[in-house]
Amino acid sequence: MPTTISSRISNDPEARIRDAVTAIEPGLVAMRRDIHAHPELAFEEVRTAGIVAAELARLGIPHHTGIGRTGVVGIIEGGRPGLTLAIRADMDALPIHEETGQEFASTTPGKMHACGHDIHTSTLLGVAEVLRDLAPQLAGRVVLVFQPAEEALGGAAAMVADGVLDGVDMALGFHNQPDMPVGRFGYVRGSTLAAADRFDLMIRGKSGHAAHPELAVDPIVAAGAFIGSAQTVVSREIDPLLPAVVTIGMVHGGTAPNIIPETVELRGTVRTLHRESRDAAEAALKRLVAGLDAMHRTTSTLTYRRGVPPLINADSVLDPAIAAVARQLGDVIAAGKPSMGAEDFAEFAERVPAFQLRIGSGAPGRHDHLHNDRYQPDERCIGLGVQVLSRIALDMLA
């Protein structure tokens, strides 16, 4: 009979988990490097999902594939009845050409794990192995969610549509943070990441010769007016105590310096941390477009798409999670600031109480940031992440 983690280490939870992770950490790092070398974009994670499914099968953990197209879900049943905790990791890479020069760098030109989802996937697989051997002590069950397409902000919704949260009482997410040194952890109460909405604006005028503007309707002038007015949404229409961002990232119009074009196209994003500011920003932009046509004789079409909601951490999950991190590793966790970035774990948090933990991944002497072609996280964050996530699950399902 093979020796299990629980039979070869002490009964103390802290030591049991620490020693368990020490035993499996080299394999997790090797797995991370293999996934890193073979990045797959949103909803293309066939190879990665195959690795996950094979590892869950090796561990004897029941699992399902094809959830949310390319997602994988594993189930660990506890020894006693209780609540169900979902722990989620994302698997997809980014369309970035890697420039790290590492031996295990991406073998696919133009694709890279520049956000650390390879770290997340291997971390959750480590949690799966630790919790498998601690399962008799759990009251309830753990749902291991390996999610596709976080970068496209569609994978979580796809998994939810396929029933991944059916029967789930609470959810735990995590993300590596290169702006925090490895060994440190962070949290934010309440709204932690922003809703990500998008708008496309097509302004149609009447083309003509630049020397005779009176015979044309200039959409460029209208576009300029809209750009200026859009900046007043945050400064004059949103509560100053509720953070919001309106950014126009694309403007396209015209073909020559002496021609007034027929159309100008603009695209932008709206980021908000609170529902009331989200509603106010959308209403303001729609009103500005309506006024634009009256003022400039244009005909405008605004397409406004709501994306993921703000990620709001629930104290009912956050508080016991913080306490579990401290019990496992000591005084290593502290409050941080919200970010206007977006994360589709918010789709889970919209439906069940949830908390996303920040795991420091900054390597000594480096100043990396996410979505960068030279991003090199400190791999020690994998083992440390497995420790704290396993302890959170153990304590919350005690």
Side-chain angles (χ1 to χ4, degrees), residues 44-263:
E44 298 176 358
E45 309 92 272
V46 175
R47 183 182 186 277
T48 306
I51 291 173
V52 170
E55 183 64 10
L56 293 176
R58 182 187 72 82
L59 296 171
I61 297 174
H63 59 279
H64 305 278
T65 59
I67 309 301
R69 293 171 60 177
T70 48
V72 183
V73 176
I75 306 292
I76 296 176
E77 296 287 352
R80 307 185 308 281
L83 300 176
T84 296
L85 169 67
I87 310 177
R88 174 268 207 174
D90 35 20
M91 301 187 295
D92 56 323
L94 284 158
I96 294 176
H97 187 78
E98 182 163 355
E99 298 288 353
T100 64
Q102 293 181 310
E103 292 182 0
F104 54 90
S106 172
T107 58
T108 306
K111 298 180 183 180
M112 177 190 175
H113 272 290
C115 199
H117 295 185
D118 51 341
I119 292 279
H120 302 165
T121 301
S122 56
T123 297
L124 188 54
L125 285 171
V127 172
E129 184 161 2
V130 172
L131 292 183
R132 177 203 63 173
D133 286 343
L134 294 176
Q137 299 184 36
L138 302 178
R141 66 174 182 159
V142 177
V143 178
L144 306 163
V145 180
F146 296 87
Q147 181 204 304
E150 186 281 326
E151 298 296 354
L153 297 179
M159 295 196 84
V160 169
D162 279 356
V164 73
L165 292 180
D166 292 352
V168 169
D169 298 295
M170 51 194 171
L172 179 64
F174 60 98
H175 205 292
N176 79 98
Q177 299 289 139
D179 57 344
M180 293 168 49
V182 67
R184 299 294 301 178
F185 298 82
Y187 66 91
V188 176
R189 290 196 180 275
S191 297
T192 178
L193 291 168
D197 300 331
R198 169 181 168 174
F199 61 89
D200 298 346
L201 176 60
M202 178 66 73
I203 303 175
R204 184 172 297 278
K206 180 181 179 181
S207 65
H209 198 291
H212 302 285
E214 76 282 6
L215 302 178
V217 175
D218 194 338
I220 289 181
V221 172
F226 175 80
I227 292 170
S229 297
Q231 304 314 303
T232 67
V233 172
V234 174
S235 66
R236 288 296 176 268
E237 306 228 16
I238 305 294
D239 184 336
L241 299 179
L242 302 180
V245 172
V246 175
T247 295
I248 297 170
M250 194 205 84
V251 180
H252 179 75
T255 57
N258 63 339
I259 300 174
I260 293 172
E262 184 80 12
T263 62

Side-chain angles (χ1 to χ4, degrees), residues 352-363:
V352 298
F355 164 56
Q356 185 173 70
L357 176 69
R358 295 176 175 180
I359 301 177
S361 61

